[in-house]
Amino acid sequence: MSKPIIDVCCGGRMFWFDKKNPKVEFCDKRVVSKMMVGKGRNARAFECKPDTVADFKHIPFEDESFHLVVMDPPHLIQAGEKSYMAQKYGILAKDWKTEIHDGFWECMRILKLNGILIFKWNESQITVGEIKKAIGVEPLFGHRSGKISKTHWLCFMKFEVREAQEGK
């Protein structure tokens, strides 16, 4: 039996309660052995060990393979390459709008009809409004979280492909 859930940008699996959940296919384009990132009192251990090494824009699974897709892409466009934030979360390409758009629709491709896509975004450098404009579709609903409410959890559902692409 194949796994019903995929996390396409798993990183260190930080928000997962069960970081080894057998029902989840954990993917990331990076493989990072346990290492210390950051310096001094800000140093933290970090590792990224995906089940499948893949970029979220090119996911190596068939159309309509998963009931639930979790997408928590990098949200930084400016960070030092060796900074703690860049090493832990990654950095978006200069053409981030295309990267986010293409990654979102790749996630929709692998999502089963009537499946759910959970999109996590942090507004530290790019607003949710800019993200919604880049992907071209409105979420069903969302929620802000965190101490200063910069993290957003957005929920999308895959209806008929034509409806999803038209934002209905």
Side-chain angles (χ1 to χ4, degrees):
M1 179 181 134
S2 61
K3 298 176 182 179
I5 304 166
I6 186 170
D7 180 341
V8 300
C9 308
C10 71
R13 306 179 189 190
M14 292 167 286
F15 56 76
W16 288 94
F17 290 113
D18 180 355
K19 295 180 185 335
K20 295 180 181 180
N21 188 321
K23 293 181 179 175
V24 181
E25 183 68 26
F26 292 100
C27 297
D28 205 292
K29 70 179 186 179
R30 308 172 295 162
V31 175
V32 179
S33 297
K34 199 166 205 172
M35 63 179 278
M36 294 303 287
V37 292
K39 294 183 179 182
R41 68 180 199 186
N42 292 325
R44 304 281 189 275
F46 175 74
E47 70 180 348
C48 178
K49 292 187 177 180
D51 301 323
T52 300
V53 177
D55 187 298
F56 69 87
K57 297 179 303 300
H58 307 284
I59 304 167
F61 294 98
E62 294 181 19
D63 294 358
E64 299 191 4
S65 295
F66 298 93
H67 294 279
L68 174 63
V69 174
V70 177
M71 183 180 184
D72 178 14
H75 56 268
L76 300 173
I77 51 176
Q78 298 173 349
E81 284 184 36
K82 296 190 180 204
S83 71
Y84 172 73
M85 295 295 283
Q87 290 179 49
K88 187 169 182 181
Y89 299 109
I91 302 173
L92 288 168
K94 291 191 187 303
D95 186 13
W96 65 266
K97 291 176 186 176
T98 299
E99 185 173 30
I100 292 296
H101 174 274
D102 293 353
F104 178 87
W105 290 105
E106 178 70 351
C107 287
M108 280 296 195
R109 178 190 68 77
I110 64 168
L111 187 61
K112 289 183 181 285
L113 188 61
N114 297 318
I116 299 293
L117 187 155
I118 300 296
F119 188 101
K120 180 179 169 276
W121 187 256
N122 184 286
E123 286 189 315
S124 61
Q125 295 180 359
I126 301 168
T127 68
V128 166
E130 291 174 284
I131 292 300
K132 291 190 306 184
K133 187 175 180 182
I135 62 177
V137 65
E138 286 288 320
L140 293 172
F141 59 88
H143 178 73
R144 290 181 184 209
S145 66
K147 290 180 184 176
I148 52 177
S149 295
K150 285 193 171 191
T151 297
H152 296 254
W153 295 84
L154 307 174
C155 180
F156 299 86
M157 186 171 192
K158 182 177 181 177
F159 300 107
E160 290 183 37
V161 174
R162 192 184 61 198
E163 288 179 351
Q165 291 173 338
E166 293 172 357
K168 295 180 183 177

